[in-house]
Amino acid sequence: MRICFVCLGNICRSPAAEAVFLHLADQAGLDVEVESAGTGPWHVGEPPHEGTLTEAARRGIPVDHVGRQFGPDDFARFELVVAMDSGNVAELQEMAPDEESAARVVRLGEFAPDVGTTGVRDVPDPYGRPQAEFVTMFDQVETACRGLVEHLSGDR
Ligand code: 4NP
């Protein structure tokens, strides 16, 4: 199974989701290949944002990523494209080469355990915000990634 997490800049949220999900999937013995990308071009080739690196290190989660931009060809490389917010979903669906590809775009919040009461929530963008917002972003990402690991483990 190949999964790509996608946000706007690929320096804050999706590199966090990639690292957190890989960490949890490894613990669960799930056989997955995980990447992340952004819909925007601004941070291609750059390391993740300091806020994401700092919070990942605090949680003992390794991060190994260089910024890249998601393109139409990537739909052929990933079975699941996991977006952070509804803006990312809209851009990805517009970019998708066909309906089958567009149908493989989901929002990370769909896998949060409280989705039944709150509905699908976006992961808010912490870019340019205080470090505390990176901490809450990681909390939200980690909870939903646990749900995604469970979802995929059920498919085994
Ligand atoms: P991300 O945050 O989508 O979570 O990586 C952003 C980072 C950079 C920009 C926007 C969002 N930017 O416009 O440069």
Side-chain angles (χ1 to χ4, degrees):
M1 179 94 182
R2 293 178 67 96
I3 301 174
C4 191
F5 293 92
V6 178
C7 63
L8 182 58
N10 191 218
I11 51 170
C12 301
R13 293 166 294 171
S14 61
E18 175 188 355
V20 167
F21 180 80
L22 188 60
H23 192 65
L24 294 172
D26 278 350
Q27 287 175 351
L30 206 57
D31 185 18
V32 283
E33 286 184 42
V34 189
E35 290 185 28
S36 69
T39 57
W42 316 285
H43 300 286
V44 170
E46 291 180 17
H49 190 283
E50 194 56 42
T52 284
L53 294 175
T54 299
E55 184 55 17
R58 199 178 71 83
R59 292 174 188 235
I61 298 171
V63 177
D64 177 17
H65 184 71
V66 176
R68 59 180 297 268
Q69 186 174 17
F70 196 92
D73 292 348
D74 284 317
F75 282 100
R77 297 183 49 233
F78 299 102
E79 289 158 86
L80 198 58
V81 180
V82 184
M84 296 299 116
D85 64 34
S86 47
N88 309 143
V89 170
E91 279 204 52
L92 288 164
Q93 288 186 333
E94 201 163 305
M95 186 196 299
D98 51 45
E99 280 184 24
E100 186 273 328
S101 300
R104 281 184 277 113
V105 178
V106 296
R107 233 187 321 165
L108 182 59
E110 292 173 34
F111 303 97
D114 59 354
V115 68
T117 47
T118 63
V120 181
R121 288 186 302 140
D122 283 342
V123 179
D125 193 349
Y127 185 61
R129 310 283 305 165
Q131 186 62 22
E133 299 203 18
F134 283 83
V135 176
T136 53
M137 179 270 282
F138 265 79
D139 285 342
Q140 190 180 353
V141 162
E142 187 172 324
T143 305
C145 279
R146 282 187 195 283
L148 179 55
V149 167
E150 258 174 51
H151 175 79
L152 296 174
S153 299
D155 288 349
R156 277 191 292 193

